[in-house]
Amino acid sequence: MTAPLLRIEDVATANSPALSLSLHGGELIGLAGPSGIGKSQLFKAVADLLPHRGHLWLDGKAQQDIAPAHWRQQIGYLPAQVHWWGNQVAEHFNQQPPLGILGLPDSIWHQPLLQLSTGEKQRLALLRLLQNQPRVLLLDEPTASLDAVNVERVERHVQDYLQQHQAAALWISHDPQQLQRLCQHIITLRVAA
Amino acid sequence: MIHLSYTDLGLCALLVIACGGLLTLHHPALTRQLYGSALRCGLQLLLMGVWLSFIFTRQHWGWVALMSVIMLGAATLEAGRRQAVPLQAAWRYGLALMSMGIAALSMTMLVVVALLQTDPWYSPRYFLPLLGMLLGNCLTGVSMGMDHFNRQVWQQQAQLEWRLALGMTAAEVIQPLYRQSLEAALRPTFNMLVSAGVISLPGMMTGQILAGAAPMEAVKYQLMIMLLLAVCTSVGIMLALSACRHLLFDERQRLDLHRLQPPGG
């Protein structure tokens, strides 16, 4: 068996149960569990955005030995709700991504963000995240605001990305069928007894 | 110099009483505030006059130091008030004390030692009024800057976190808010500079002219004070905001807002 890309050992925040797993290149693992159990908190901990206990290694290198900004470029975290900082779409990107691949028209590039729907902003956020070419994706309900056609586009794009870059992903969803369709493994978080 | 008697001041007080009567017709609650504030102002200034007369006759560095500490303490307490999302008390007052203390004391020392060359350098007639004016302006800037910065960070934490998640450093993420807060806090100082002599006659200059000084001499003093106010306020705000900027991230450049006290929190 190859060495894991990301190893998570007993990682937990003040408001989440502990998580331990290993992710390999090309692998997609689903994370399920009731609302409020702390799935998003765990993602933030793995992305090093929240203080946490436990240990993480990327390519065998411990988290504390990697500069925070570099760690977060490699571990791409997509929150369930993204808060943009500029006015126009183009301000947030280094270069124009392939918008059409997620069903977004080119005209959106110069539009104010205020005029976009939640679903459009969600797809743009994924494209922005992938621009960093992260090794691991942490996707927190990335299709929650999308119709069936766009759900399929996003799923296919993520799978293609993982294959092309030999990256890995953790995917949070409240749709069990989606997780079964996409993931090699599903981890269900439960409240500790 | 035309001597001003206590009877003259009494006449001014009568005007305030009459104004209060007029105000009652429009907003009765404000009349009490006007009388209370005017009374407080009168008592404070009279006490200050007695106190300064005492210190001026002593010419001892100990009294000047004591008065400076009292003024700095009062400015610190005032700067820490009226914050929408304040830092914890120790940090809030500590930062205000540090930033205003460094800015105002260093600037006052510079003036008395290098520009005015007073003898002794701590001559209370010069040292204390200068320190007071610099502290007064600095406290407004520091208070506004800290309030604006902490409020913005609190309101925009989700956006800041998303930018961190995209691999930006804490310095990159906080820079726009730092600049906005600096601008907001410095705006009144810039307005004061551009309006001086055209829209308003600054208080100190007016006071000197009324007290019999030559207009050009009053202008030179006023100009010196205005330029020093701008420098002192800018330095104070930059020190306070730089410290705030570091306090709100931990050693792994994670947004760490446990030192902020949100409304209702």
Side-chain angles (χ1 to χ4, degrees), chain A residues 102-174:
Chain A
L102 291 185
L104 294 164
D106 279 340
S107 59
I108 215 170
W109 186 242
H110 294 293
Q111 259 181 281
L113 278 151
L114 277 173
Q115 290 178 4
L116 306 187
S117 71
T118 311
E120 285 172 324
K121 283 191 265 193
Q122 198 166 30
R123 281 174 284 162
L124 278 172
L126 178 63
L127 290 174
R128 177 61 186 87
L129 186 77
L130 296 182
Q131 206 159 58
N132 285 348
Q133 302 202 332
R135 308 283 313 281
V136 176
L137 303 178
L138 306 174
L139 306 172
D140 192 348
E141 301 191 61
T143 59
S145 309
L146 304 183
D147 56 50
V149 176
N150 283 312
V151 167
E152 198 195 326
R153 282 185 178 129
V154 167
E155 288 177 356
R156 196 170 349 109
H157 190 53
V158 170
Q159 283 174 319
D160 289 348
Y161 179 86
L162 298 186
Q163 289 309 314
Q164 280 170 18
H165 295 82
Q166 275 306 291
L170 279 170
W171 187 306
I172 292 177
S173 176
H174 287 288

Side-chain angles (χ1 to χ4, degrees), chain A residues 44 48 63 66 72 132, chain B residues 161-162 164 166 252 254:
Chain A
K44 283 189 183 182
D48 204 14
Q63 185 187 52
I66 300 178
R72 291 176 199 132
N132 285 348
Chain B
E161 214 161 62
W162 164 233
L164 286 173
L166 288 172
R252 289 290 297 174
R254 294 178 288 224

Side-chain angles (χ1 to χ4, degrees), chain A:
Chain A
M1 185 106 182
T2 55
L5 184 55
L6 178 71
R7 199 173 136 216
I8 302 173
E9 191 180 286
D10 200 29
V11 167
T13 70
N15 304 309
S16 78
L19 181 70
S20 296
L21 61 86
S22 291
L23 269 172
H24 296 81
E27 199 173 18
L28 207 169
I29 292 182
L31 204 57
S35 292
I37 197 166
K39 300 185 292 294
S40 302
Q41 296 265 312
L42 274 172
F43 269 16
K44 283 189 183 182
V46 175
D48 204 14
L49 290 166
L50 269 186
H52 56 85
R53 67 173 169 84
H55 302 280
L56 292 128
W57 293 266
L58 180 67
D59 275 333
K61 205 168 175 187
Q63 185 187 52
Q64 63 269 26
D65 295 333
I66 300 178
H70 187 62
W71 177 270
R72 291 176 199 132
Q73 279 167 7
Q74 301 291 305
I75 308 286
Y77 165 55
L78 182 68
Q81 209 178 0
V82 165
H83 295 259
W84 300 92
W85 58 92
N87 296 322
Q88 294 218 324
V89 172
E91 286 175 53
H92 301 86
F93 290 79
N94 304 323
Q95 59 190 39
Q96 185 167 341
L99 296 163
I101 209 159
L102 291 185
L104 294 164
D106 279 340
S107 59
I108 215 170
W109 186 242
H110 294 293
Q111 259 181 281
L113 278 151
L114 277 173
Q115 290 178 4
L116 306 187
S117 71
T118 311
E120 285 172 324
K121 283 191 265 193
Q122 198 166 30
R123 281 174 284 162
L124 278 172
L126 178 63
L127 290 174
R128 177 61 186 87
L129 186 77
L130 296 182
Q131 206 159 58
N132 285 348
Q133 302 202 332
R135 308 283 313 281
V136 176
L137 303 178
L138 306 174
L139 306 172
D140 192 348
E141 301 191 61
T143 59
S145 309
L146 304 183
D147 56 50
V149 176
N150 283 312
V151 167
E152 198 195 326
R153 282 185 178 129
V154 167
E155 288 177 356
R156 196 170 349 109
H157 190 53
V158 170
Q159 283 174 319
D160 289 348
Y161 179 86
L162 298 186
Q163 289 309 314
Q164 280 170 18
H165 295 82
Q166 275 306 291
L170 279 170
W171 187 306
I172 292 177
S173 176
H174 287 288
D175 178 358
Q177 288 174 339
Q178 182 181 49
L179 292 182
Q180 277 167 7
R181 189 165 66 234
L182 288 173
C183 305
Q184 285 87 23
H185 306 284
I186 299 171
I187 296 170
T188 304
L189 295 178
R190 292 189 176 85
V191 183

Side-chain angles (χ1 to χ4, degrees), chain B residues 32 53 82 129 167 177 221 225 244 246:
Chain B
R32 265 181 59 195
S53 303
R82 290 189 287 277
L177 291 191
Y221 263 90
I225 291 293
C244 280
H246 288 289

